[in-house]
């Protein structure tokens, strides 16, 4: 769903950029509350993992493919504000290094793929957890539904933006029907990837999943015939002292393998937006990408003729660049949080 330059006119693209910049600014402030001892070391890894999985286009129907958007996954793992920043970092890397998604359309893409998916998914996710049993399997089930809905929601947002500022005169009803129809199918793939990833992390380190916090119920004791809360037990080791190295290394290796090797076998069919654009004529005024001559344009390394090696190296470079930039951003945000806490103030950690 990466919108290229030329789909949306300049005034609407600029307005979307302003809205996206404002949302990112709000997210930077909100992320200072989310990036604690558990999530801060992994936020950059989440961005890199999303970058890697977005290279894995999977077939859906009628010569169309889809790929992960990642807003739901990021929001559930590290929080909605940090999730917006994760997807924004991915979109920046893709647009600047790989000529994927227009630079003048960057605000549109952040608004659509980063903000809309994250807000819709996390709101639905939290709503579902209020009615589902307080159990880890509920987190996995809620993440599946939230991710599934987030993709057609993003398709609706694109349709709205196109209705306001599209550069071709196409009946909006046709665009809406085509976009939502294909992205419901893509949403199934998004839901599976999200639920499997969230479930895998919960199985080994539930304390690292932002969306799983607060699920435990307090122990009850019967005193004089009445149930009362048992005294809180001190954990054997605080969450901050528990090592993140194992899951960090596993996640990094997984991202490198997916981007460097598995991506070669991804579907070559056009993705949902590309297919709809070609069928409906939305792409008539598409402009060349400003970074089309980038050494990594189109996810290949320039001057390397072997497609497998070229694409694999590009994927590995992308994962490395994303984790470096993302970790740098989150490190700065985390430091700001630390500086904002007065000396002598004690933080309390949520139970998992």
């Amino acid at each position: 769903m990466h919108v290229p330059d030329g789909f949306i006119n300049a005034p609407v693209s600029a307005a979307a950029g302003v809205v996206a910049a404002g949302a990112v600014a709000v997210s930077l402030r909100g992320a200072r509350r989310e990036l604690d001892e558990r999530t801060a070391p992994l936020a950059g890894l989440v961005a890199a993992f999303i970058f890697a999985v977005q290279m894995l286009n999977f077939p859906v129907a009628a010569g169309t493919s889809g790929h992960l958007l990642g807003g739901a996954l990021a929001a559930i793992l590290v929080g909605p504000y940090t999730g917006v920043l994760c997807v924004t970092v991915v979109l920046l890397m893709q647009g600047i290094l790989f000529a994927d998604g227009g630079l003048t359309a960057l605000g549109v893409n952040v608004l659509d793929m980063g903000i809309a998916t994250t807000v819709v998914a996390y709101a639905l996710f939290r709503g579902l957890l209020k009615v589902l049993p307080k159990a880890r399997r509920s987190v996995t089930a809620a993440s599946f539904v939230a991710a599934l809905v987030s993709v057609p929601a993003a398709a609706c947002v694109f349709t709205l933006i196109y209705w306001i500022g599209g550069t071709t005169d196409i009946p909006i009803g046709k665009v809406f029907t085509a976009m939502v129809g294909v992205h419901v199918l893509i949403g199934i793939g998004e839901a599976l990837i999200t639920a499997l990833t969230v479930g895998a992390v919960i199985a080994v380190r539930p304390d690292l999943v932002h969306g799983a916090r607060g699920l435990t119920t307090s122990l009850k004791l019967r005193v004089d015939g009445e149930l009362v809360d048992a005294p809180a037990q001190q954990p054997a080791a605080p969450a901050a002292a528990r090592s993140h190295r194992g899951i960090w290394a596993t996640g990094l290796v997984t991202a490198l393998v997916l981007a460097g090797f598995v991506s070669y076998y991804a579907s070559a069919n056009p993705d949902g937006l590309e297919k709809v654009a070609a069928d409906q004529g939305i792409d008539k005024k598409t402009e060349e990408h400003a970074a089309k001559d980038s050494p990594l344009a189109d996810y290949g390394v320039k001057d390397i003729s072997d497609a497998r090696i070229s694409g694999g190296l590009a994927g590995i470079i992308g994962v490395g660049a994303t984790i470096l930039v993302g970790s740098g951003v989150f490190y700065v945000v985390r430091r700001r949080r630390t500086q904002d806490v007065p000396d002598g103030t004690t933080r309390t950690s949520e139970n998992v």
Side-chain angles (χ1 to χ4, degrees):
M1 202 180 290
H2 293 77
V3 179
D5 296 320
F7 274 28
I8 308 299
N9 63 36
V12 175
S13 294
V18 171
V19 174
V24 169
V26 171
S27 296
L28 284 168
R29 189 171 184 83
R32 288 158 62 181
R33 299 190 297 271
E34 293 174 345
L35 291 171
D36 58 18
E37 295 84 353
R38 289 170 284 186
T39 54
L42 297 178
L45 177 63
V46 170
F49 182 79
I50 290 172
F51 174 90
V53 180
Q54 282 198 4
M55 294 183 66
L56 308 181
N57 281 49
F58 49 85
V60 285
T64 309
S65 70
H67 62 70
L68 181 82
L69 297 185
L73 177 61
I76 294 165
L77 289 180
V78 293
Y81 294 108
T82 308
V84 169
L85 299 180
C86 285
V87 180
T88 299
V89 168
V90 172
L91 292 171
L92 280 170
M93 295 298 99
Q94 292 170 333
I96 295 172
L97 297 180
F98 298 92
D100 188 11
L103 295 183
T104 62
L106 181 59
V108 173
N109 284 320
V110 171
L111 186 58
D112 189 21
M113 296 177 63
I115 299 166
T117 57
T118 302
V119 171
V120 170
Y122 198 71
L124 180 56
F125 174 79
R126 298 309 306 184
L128 289 171
L129 287 188
K130 290 181 182 297
V131 298
L132 292 173
K134 288 190 174 184
R136 293 175 184 174
R137 62 179 179 274
S138 296
V139 176
T140 304
S143 67
F144 181 94
V145 177
L148 174 62
V149 174
S150 71
V151 179
C156 291
V157 171
F158 168 79
T159 304
L160 176 62
I161 294 173
Y162 188 81
W163 178 55
I164 298 171
T167 55
T168 55
D169 187 16
I170 306 296
I172 198 63
K174 290 184 177 181
V175 177
F176 175 81
T177 301
M179 283 293 292
V180 173
V182 70
H183 283 92
V184 166
L185 299 177
I186 294 173
I188 297 173
E190 177 102 11
L192 289 171
I193 294 170
T194 300
L196 288 173
T197 304
V198 171
V201 178
I202 286 180
V204 293
R205 288 295 301 272
D207 58 299
L208 297 181
V209 179
H210 179 90
R213 297 181 185 181
L215 289 183
T216 56
T217 55
S218 58
L219 179 65
K220 299 288 186 179
L221 296 178
R222 187 174 294 278
V223 178
D224 296 331
E226 296 183 359
L227 290 176
V228 298
D229 292 336
Q233 294 182 339
Q234 294 297 324
R242 300 178 64 184
S243 175
H244 301 85
R245 292 179 182 176
I247 194 166
W248 199 94
T250 301
L252 179 59
V253 169
T254 301
L256 290 172
V257 170
L258 292 175
F261 300 96
V262 181
S263 63
Y264 178 77
Y265 303 98
S267 173
N269 291 331
D271 66 24
L273 177 58
E274 292 171 337
K275 178 66 172 174
V276 172
D279 290 347
Q280 303 296 328
I282 295 175
D283 58 356
K284 291 179 181 178
K285 296 185 179 181
T286 303
E287 300 172 3
E288 285 191 333
H289 199 287
K292 63 182 178 64
D293 295 323
S294 165
L296 299 172
D298 298 322
Y299 298 93
V301 178
K302 191 175 182 180
D303 299 328
I304 295 182
S305 57
D306 187 294
R308 185 190 298 267
I309 297 175
S310 177
L313 282 176
I316 290 172
I317 292 170
V319 168
T322 303
I323 200 168
L324 285 175
V325 173
S327 297
V329 170
F330 299 125
Y331 173 76
V332 172
V333 174
R334 178 76 179 112
R335 285 196 64 186
R336 291 291 302 275
R337 170 193 168 109
T338 303
Q339 292 169 358
D340 287 346
V341 178
D343 293 339
T345 300
T346 302
R347 291 193 200 95
T348 58
S349 298
E350 297 175 77
N351 292 328
V352 179

